[in-house]
Amino acid sequence: MIATPAGSQGTKAADSPVAVNGKAPAEMSKLYPRIGHWQVIIRTLPGTGLPQGGIDKGVATITSGPGGYSVVQDFSSHGDGGDEVGQSYTWWDVSSKSYKSVWCDNQQGCSEFTTVIEGSSWSTELDGVADGKKVHTTIRASMTSDHNCIHEEVTASYDGSPPRTETVSEYQRVIPGVGQDKQPSCKK
């Protein structure tokens, strides 16, 4: 929702987002390398949901939120895991001195969590319930130094069982309007 001053006629300036204090926290700079367009390959390892495992392909578009105070991700994928559409917001929370996020998707609803960032890697841990079982999920990701590739692994522990890797995802930056031969590569 965009606030419009009383008496405004909906001018371009009045319709623009306005920063509260005019400057986003410096900690936001750790999130900005994620901004861009990404192709995503998600490999699901064999398990209860997909006994043979599977592959999903998706896209993620990550943008700066109003005033640079957040990053916003729009995500969609399709394949063996079904069709997924999700959106997230991540920001630096000054009061708790931590990165906070909310993620919502069409398969599992919404989750709030905290992310720890160390250099070009980050991790998230969250608790929930799936199929009547308590599940502890850990997400670990790292970005290459050129900011063109992200490797992400998701592990889960159900009802206190040992954690097991469920998915391994590879994100590759896509530059709109650039030919395939000029796109960044994640091949080693």
Side-chain angles (χ1 to χ4, degrees):
M1 181 172 89
I2 297 174
T4 305
S8 168
Q9 299 301 315
T11 64
K12 189 173 184 178
D15 290 340
S16 299
V18 178
V20 175
N21 68 7
K23 187 174 180 185
E27 291 83 359
M28 286 300 300
S29 66
K30 291 183 179 181
L31 299 175
Y32 296 152
R34 301 179 195 182
I35 292 172
H37 301 281
W38 301 86
Q39 287 182 338
V40 187
I41 304 292
I42 305 152
R43 185 171 50 92
T44 301
L45 302 177
T48 307
L50 284 173
Q52 303 301 316
I55 299 288
D56 291 81
K57 294 183 179 183
V59 294
T61 300
I62 302 174
T63 58
S64 177
Y69 285 89
S70 64
V71 293
V72 181
Q73 176 181 199
D74 288 302
F75 177 88
S76 64
S77 68
H78 63 279
D80 297 321
D83 293 331
E84 182 175 14
V85 177
Q87 187 174 56
S88 70
Y89 290 83
T90 302
W91 66 94
W92 174 255
D93 183 66
V94 176
S95 61
S96 67
K97 297 189 181 339
S98 63
Y99 293 94
K100 298 289 187 175
S101 297
V102 63
W103 165 263
C104 297
D105 67 48
N106 64 314
Q107 293 185 356
Q108 297 179 18
C110 298
S111 301
E112 293 179 72
F113 51 90
T114 300
T115 299
V116 175
I117 299 175
E118 294 177 9
S120 61
S121 298
W122 57 93
S123 62
T124 298
E125 295 192 36
L126 31 111
D127 293 304
V129 176
D131 297 325
K133 297 178 181 178
K134 291 182 181 178
V135 60
H136 179 79
T137 303
T138 302
I139 303 168
R140 297 188 194 289
S142 60
M143 179 180 278
T144 56
S145 60
D146 63 7
H147 300 161
N148 289 325
C149 308
I150 298 171
H151 175 82
E152 176 185 80
E153 294 187 13
V154 177
T155 62
S157 169
Y158 294 88
D159 285 338
S161 67
R164 183 177 93 48
T165 301
E166 291 192 326
T167 63
V168 176
S169 301
E170 304 297 338
Y171 290 67
Q172 181 173 331
R173 186 177 298 279
V174 176
I175 301 172
V178 173
Q180 185 64 32
D181 61 325
K182 302 279 188 197
Q183 291 292 337
S185 174
C186 293
K187 293 183 172 71
K188 296 175 182 173

